[in-house]
Amino acid sequence: MVPDPETLSQGLQAVVLSGATTVVTAMATDTWHTARRGFVRLFSRGGHQPEIIQAHLDRDAAVLSEEQDPSAARQVLISSWQRMLADLLREDPRLREDLEALITEISKTLPAGTGHTTQYISPRDNAMAFVVGNGKQENKLMPSSSRPAPAGNDDGDGE
């Protein structure tokens, strides 16, 4: 179960998802020990016992490394960490800044391309979507008056 939208703002949900994705991604990299220390420190500030958080992190990292289907395991672990981080920030909203700083710190040390990106894009009406999961994207737009009409825009009169 992901964080309840009734209790978390959209911005906070994004931070929680980013934090969960960051910690799970770090489990399979050389950044793991730094991430582990940072998340133990974060939860300790929220009143959690460091030994319990360390054990939870170590167990999850072991599951990920031993799993036959690491992608499926990663999704389960991300959901679990979303719940834990959402609960932590509900208990002490002041920890949001600490979590954001930790995400930034860890993300800088993760190897390029280690993150997993899922995007759901639903442009409607005359909207356009420009999406990049990783890397750089450059867009050059033409004024709408010079754009060709989309194919298949037949008004039904056969002309």
Side-chain angles (χ1 to χ4, degrees):
M1 182 168 129
V2 294
D4 181 3
E6 297 296 318
T7 60
L8 292 179
S9 70
Q10 192 172 16
L12 196 54
Q13 285 180 29
V15 172
V16 164
L17 177 57
S18 182
T21 303
T22 299
V23 71
V24 173
T25 299
M27 289 177 182
T29 69
D30 292 337
T31 304
W32 173 231
H33 294 291
T34 301
R36 181 180 179 269
R37 273 193 311 272
F39 276 87
V40 167
R41 199 170 44 245
L42 177 72
F43 277 87
S44 295
R45 285 187 201 125
H48 295 262
Q49 294 180 345
E51 302 80 19
I52 293 173
I53 299 302
Q54 286 173 354
H56 194 99
L57 286 162
D58 291 342
R59 183 180 64 242
D60 287 353
V63 165
L64 189 60
S65 70
E66 297 166 2
E67 189 61 41
Q68 294 294 330
D69 184 0
S71 180
R74 196 172 7 263
Q75 291 308 309
V76 170
L77 293 174
I78 288 171
S79 292
S80 173
W81 281 98
Q82 276 185 275
R83 280 191 305 277
M84 290 178 62
L85 289 168
D87 290 345
L88 178 71
L89 295 182
R90 277 189 204 99
E91 294 164 6
D92 188 348
R94 297 170 298 175
L95 292 174
R96 177 183 179 158
E97 288 181 19
D98 293 341
L99 175 57
E100 289 172 330
L102 182 58
I103 293 166
T104 300
E105 174 189 343
I106 295 168
S107 295
K108 288 179 184 177
T109 61
L110 286 172
T114 56
H116 174 78
T117 303
T118 301
Q119 298 177 344
Y120 301 95
I121 311 300
S122 299
R124 301 253 194 310
D125 302 321
N126 291 322
M128 296 186 299
F130 302 93
V131 181
V132 64
N134 193 354
K136 182 180 176 184
Q137 179 180 35
E138 193 172 316
N139 299 308
K140 295 181 181 175
L141 302 177
M142 300 184 304
S144 59
S145 61
S146 60
R147 272 190 229 132
N153 252 7
D154 187 10
D155 60 7
D157 66 2
E159 292 182 37

